[in-house]
Amino acid sequence: MDLLLKNATYIDWKTLEFSIKNILVRENVSSLTFVADNEVEGVQHGVETIECTGRLVTKSFAVGHHHVYSALSRGMGAPGETPQNFHEILKYVWWTLDKCLDPAMIESSALVTAMACLKAGSTFVIDHHASPFAIKGSLEIIAKAFERVGVSHLLCYEISDRDGVHVAREGLSETDNYLRDHQGLVGLHASFTVGERTLTKAVDLMKKHNTGIHIHVAEDAYDQGQSINKHGRRVIERLEKAGVLDSPKTLLVHCLHLEENEKELIRRSPAWVVQNCESNLNNNVGYFNGTGLGENIMLGTDGMHSDMLQSARAAFFVGQRYDNITYESVYRRFRNVHRYLSDNGFGGDGDNNLVILDYDSPTPVSHDNFFGHFLFGITSNHVTDVISNGKLVLKDRKITTVDENEILRESRKQAERLWSKMQQHS
Ligand SMILES: [Zn+2]
């Protein structure tokens, strides 16, 4: 059903212009129609009207880097051995977890992730998935779950040699199958778990499907050490030589431990960088600094949560000391994901994706001071309604497409299954 957002305070996400508008939103029509006050009655018939007086309406948000696979980890017990560094965090926590995932757990993880994204105002997710012993069909499970809830997506499977040649081969073939009839990327875990053969095959797939690579880059100094020892060159030099940086669809995630020549290679390439500073703080691996990396920087959550407003605030606060960041540049990074998606022709992020905020500010809000409200006032608690591809998927803070309670009950069950399986494997 078409929607009419009546009397909304509409904020153009590009110009930050404020205006009072009646907005007609049509399912599967990506552009918006603005209706004059004297024409509202004429269009109201057969249309669901949402009274938006006093509420802010703007383009919904999108997550630049997420991990569905981590959704059932919240509150799980400590690993059998206590990790002492980044590589051990992967080994004892995440690589123990992802090896235990099965199709039912993946489906629950995707459903609860999609619900959390909508509730925090995001209608599009770029995900990087791993389930080394349940690879086949895993991307289709996630795609279907996202679509059921009402979240658009750009998925990939994180191919890696860490579990042997056979598992790497399965990752490549899952990617090839999925990309035949879905938009998506070719995922690689990180340079230090990907050998030359697998890297070459992944880049071949990237070219075959005219897409990009989605890979963790220099998240920890360990990645650089391994690259120099095994391949005689630094991570970005290695990826550049393999052709990874040639695609404007390529996503280089983290990019913390880079030398000047590597930054220059990125800056001169069409590839994108995704910053995830809360994850960097949590893993104690260092601080992101965008200086010298060019304009193609966007933000992600790295699976820690699904709240992009929180990611933007964290990037601003951490960036005070470690980055060259301003109110304006953090907003730009927060919104750059839309430029990445539209410039590359990915579908699902048109103008008919909107968020409605019940933001009753104690101070005036306008075009001139919007950034101050963006960083210090507006939170996901203000999200009341979300429109995804023209469809009302969150209404008065309740998801309209699925039974939230049933999905959460099931995910708690799946989490218990996962945790007990992990105990047997650790
Ligand atoms: Zn990640």
Side-chain angles (χ1 to χ4, degrees):
M1 188 190 265
D2 292 347
L3 299 164
L4 181 70
L5 313 186
K6 226 173 121 184
N7 264 325
T9 303
Y10 178 66
I11 308 171
D12 182 312
W13 67 276
K14 286 181 184 158
T15 62
L16 298 180
E17 250 172 70
F18 277 54
S19 53
I20 304 296
K21 289 268 199 282
N22 304 299
I23 309 166
L24 185 63
V25 193
R26 295 196 181 99
E27 219 172 298
N28 301 321
V29 176
S30 71
S31 58
L32 301 174
T33 306
F34 297 115
V35 181
D37 287 345
N38 59 4
E39 289 167 11
V40 162
E41 253 178 67
V43 301
Q44 264 179 314
H45 184 71
V47 164
E48 182 170 359
T49 301
I50 303 173
E51 178 54 56
C52 291
T53 303
R55 292 200 277 171
L56 305 179
V57 176
T58 192
K59 187 177 176 81
S60 57
F61 320 137
V63 185
H65 177 73
H66 209 327
H67 292 294
V68 153
Y69 72 72
S70 70
L72 303 182
S73 68
R74 197 184 304 173
M76 73 185 177
E81 282 184 77
T82 307
Q84 302 297 327
N85 54 47
F86 171 70
H87 191 223
E88 288 183 3
I89 293 173
L90 292 180
K91 262 198 325 207
Y92 300 152
V93 182
W94 300 113
W95 294 350
T96 307
L97 182 150
D98 65 19
K99 282 188 187 68
C100 294
L101 290 173
D102 64 22
M105 295 170 192
I106 297 168
E107 186 184 29
S108 271
S109 300
L111 288 169
V112 295
T113 300
M115 294 195 327
C117 287
L118 286 189
K119 292 200 153 190
S122 283
T123 52
F124 198 107
V125 173
I126 302 175
D127 194 80
H128 196 255
H129 177 67
S131 51
F133 295 109
I135 295 178
K136 194 159 186 263
S138 59
L139 295 180
E140 187 70 42
I141 292 172
I142 296 169
K144 284 215 171 98
F146 275 20
E147 285 156 24
R148 219 177 114 199
V149 179
V151 171
S152 300
H153 50 82
L154 187 66
L155 308 181
C156 71
Y157 186 82
E158 65 159 68
I159 301 158
S160 170
D161 290 319
R162 68 173 143 104
D163 298 304
V165 187
H166 179 68
V167 175
R169 210 177 293 138
E170 266 195 73
L172 287 159
S173 95
E174 169 69 4
T175 303
D176 195 17
N177 282 336
Y178 183 77
L179 292 179
R180 262 181 213 139
D181 40 29
H182 298 83
Q183 65 179 19
L185 298 169
V186 177
L188 286 171
H189 168 249
S191 169
F192 69 92
T193 71
V194 175
E196 281 308 299
R197 261 175 75 87
T198 302
L199 179 58
T200 306
K201 284 186 174 168
V203 173
D204 288 347
L205 274 185
M206 168 186 119
K207 289 179 187 154
K208 176 178 170 189
H209 294 285
N210 185 26
T211 187
I213 297 278
H214 185 174
I215 181 172
H216 295 117
V217 169
E219 181 173 1
D220 186 77
Y222 182 85
D223 198 13
Q224 290 290 7
Q226 292 290 305
S227 184
I228 292 162
N229 288 344
K230 285 189 200 156
H231 311 289
R233 45 175 64 85
R234 296 179 67 83
V235 174
I236 289 296
E237 294 166 341
R238 179 178 181 225
L239 296 180
E240 194 259 349
K241 185 167 171 277
V244 170
L245 270 58
D246 295 345
S247 169
K249 297 176 182 172
T250 283
L251 297 177
L252 309 168
V253 181
H254 297 303
C255 292
L256 298 190
H257 301 273
L258 301 181
E259 286 194 341
E260 280 312 313
N261 70 314
E262 295 179 284
K263 290 184 184 177
E264 195 182 336
L265 287 171
I266 294 174
R267 194 168 66 238
R268 289 176 173 212
S269 82
W272 282 75
V273 170
V274 194
Q275 171 189 0
N276 303 265
C277 66
E278 289 163 293
S279 162
N280 302 150
L281 291 170
N282 181 45
N283 288 327
N284 195 20
V285 286
Y287 304 94
F288 180 81
N289 187 342
T291 310
L293 290 172
E295 291 302 310
N296 290 351
I297 303 174
M298 60 168 129
L299 305 178
T301 64
D302 207 16
M304 290 196 62
H305 55 74
S306 298
D307 185 341
M308 289 304 292
L309 289 168
Q310 186 177 321
S311 288
R313 267 195 304 280
F316 182 73
F317 297 143
V318 181
Q320 293 300 298
R321 176 171 286 259
Y322 297 102
D323 198 351
N324 181 19
I325 198 103
T326 62
Y327 284 17
E328 197 184 340
S329 65
V330 79
Y331 180 76
R332 211 179 309 128
R333 285 184 196 174
F334 170 77
R335 287 299 195 182
N336 267 345
V337 58
H338 308 303
R339 177 161 65 86
Y340 166 80
L341 294 170
S342 68
D343 284 0
N344 285 309
F346 292 123
D349 189 45
D351 290 342
N352 60 347
N353 289 280
L354 295 168
V355 60
I356 304 178
L357 302 157
D358 188 6
Y359 179 58
D360 212 1
S361 173
T363 58
V365 193
S366 71
H367 166 269
D368 298 333
N369 69 3
F370 176 74
F371 293 136
H373 289 277
F374 170 67
L375 284 170
F376 303 105
I378 299 169
T379 70
S380 57
N381 287 333
H382 298 112
V383 173
T384 57
D385 300 74
V386 173
I387 296 161
S388 177
N389 286 319
K391 203 170 151 197
L392 187 62
V393 288
L394 186 79
K395 183 182 181 180
D396 295 330
R397 298 192 161 90
K398 289 265 173 297
I399 291 174
T400 63
T401 45
V402 291
D403 183 334
E404 288 178 59
N405 291 331
E406 191 190 306
I407 285 171
L408 292 172
R409 251 195 317 273
E410 176 65 18
S411 80
R412 284 190 286 268
K413 247 188 349 199
Q414 295 299 337
E416 280 187 285
R417 278 185 60 232
L418 173 65
W419 298 353
S420 74
K421 210 168 153 188
M422 283 174 73
Q423 271 186 334
Q424 290 157 27
H425 284 78
S426 65

